[in-house]
Amino acid sequence: MNSPLRLADAHPGPAFTVTLDGRAIEALPGQTVAAALWTAGVTSWRTTRGEGRPRGVFCGIGVCYDCLVTVNSRPNQRACLVPLHPGDTIRTQEGTGHDD
Amino acid sequence: MTDDRPHLAVIGAGPAGLAATVAAAAHGVHVTLIDSAARAGGQFYRQPAAELNAGRPQALHHQWRTWERLKDALAHHVEAGHVRLLTDHHVWLVERRLNQWLNQRAGDADRNAFTVHALLGPEQETPAEVRADAVLLATGGYEKVLPFPGWTVPGVLTAGGAQAMLKGTLAVSGRTAVVAGTGPLLLPVATGLAAAGVEVAALVESADPKAFVRRTRALAAQPGKVAEGAQYAAQLLRHRVRLLTRHTVVAAHGDERLEAVTVATLDTDGRVRPGTERRIACDTLAVGHGMLPHTDLAETLGCRLDGIDVQVDDEQRTDVPGVWAAGETTGIGGAALSLAEGHIAGRSAAARLNGTEPDPRTWAPAAKSRTKLREFFAALDTVYAPPARWTDLVTDDTVVCRCEEVTGGAVREAVDGLGAGDIRTVKLLTRAGMGWCQGRMCGPAVAGLAGCELTPSRRPFARPVPLGVLARAGEPESEAEPE
């Protein structure tokens, strides 16, 4: 079974820990929030303002704003663009992200 | 810039911007190449993050040698001080100052006539500005996705998005994917995912391959492209990817996460054949229906558009003096066309900034390639059209505007009940297109449902700008310095 890391012969530095809603997840240096969450098996991390529906990555290049998430208490960060650092805290974003 | 060379700002470091930068720098112009990503390359040559330390990034690409040549040439010019590369700069506006400085160099551009406004880093709150004598827009394109029931379920993403995540972060969202929609992009996406260990359950293409055969002239002119297609076909076969042509995804199923898609056959009118629906289990749907050019910066500069493409002359000049455009912003046509256009634009800008009349003979091979590739992509466009009756799939409950959660029913009510006949009126009546993405995602869908052409949106800024940045705009500026 191949993996993207194996296919590209990637040798990232040691994984570090970040949290998603308080739960520890592993991230690799250079990974964006979206990449780390995908790797941890998470594909949705916000709910919409109107209907409270789940959303995750859609365009993957910063155009659509569907993947908004709260990172280090800052809401509305695009998970597909923001790189992670050790100790970062990610929170599922509800609605506009400004209510909590 | 320390010396007296003219200064060109190139916006976008994809194939067109890179080719333009290298060409202009080689002909005596200082270039500031500005890009939003952490590394040059654009979407086509998107690189894995440096920290991932990929030994074989080329495994996810083709035409890697072209990239290496461009990368080496760029590095050479950066080292020589002819090019300044500003990465992580998200340009939101290019401002043209009329007659502020008298033109000292002849040509079209006023000295320092342009200010490029950018926001730094992924957080995009700190402003930076770059002054230039001329600008070259190489802002590329983004994917068009038409709505269908379930297209907002997590796990459904654009085909280009799946590819960007794979190329840039070496991440995939699941184990089993369906790649669907229409257009040549679906091939590298399907083969890329398969090579990365994802089971690609099907490639669902709504176009009819027989339509290609009828366009033998355009195909015969591009043997390279035909060979490329054949390579992809061989890879699909090797990875046992089922190819379903004249099929479309009619629904995506799942609540918190995608569980399956339903696909169906299309008849010759582009309508779903009743009774042909079948379900395919998958956790990822990578879907796309072609590409749209990024034209925001050109629109605010006042450049004339031809439909939704920036209009350029044979030298890749827009109708605004001092503004060139190259690559997909002038019309979707792939990386090879972007390279040719970028090369021509860079040569033209260098000559004109140096006060000389450019000699088109110096870029004759690129011009020839441009002509042939434009013909080829015009032919492709007629083949790779979304199903003619795609709006039939948009139920009244289907979300059309993802940001504002405006449904197909609401758009239809605006059109049929309230008489809206264009995107702007639908927006005013329903809020479709008023959210974060400013209609970039729902524009084509709203146009289709309203029965009108997709028109440029005339957004004042190319991306959201913090109010604090706007409040400080106009105060004395400092030019962005490289790290």
Side-chain angles (χ1 to χ4, degrees), chain B residues 156-175:
Chain B
V156 179
L157 73 162
T158 69
Q163 190 183 45
M165 291 288 291
L166 179 58
K167 282 178 175 176
T169 68
L170 304 177
V172 291
S173 75
R175 293 213 168 90

Side-chain angles (χ1 to χ4, degrees), chain B residues 342-396:
Chain B
H343 178 78
I344 294 167
R347 295 287 294 250
S348 161
R352 296 208 171 263
L353 281 167
N354 284 317
T356 59
E357 188 75 19
D359 179 0
R361 282 173 302 186
T362 62
W363 63 65
K368 193 172 159 193
S369 156
R370 178 178 62 182
T371 304
K372 283 187 171 179
L373 285 163
R374 280 183 184 164
E375 274 175 22
F376 178 71
F377 277 90
L380 274 199
D381 248 10
T382 61
V383 176
Y384 282 128
R389 301 296 298 258
W390 65 264
T391 52
D392 291 354
L393 297 177
V394 181
T395 64
D396 283 351

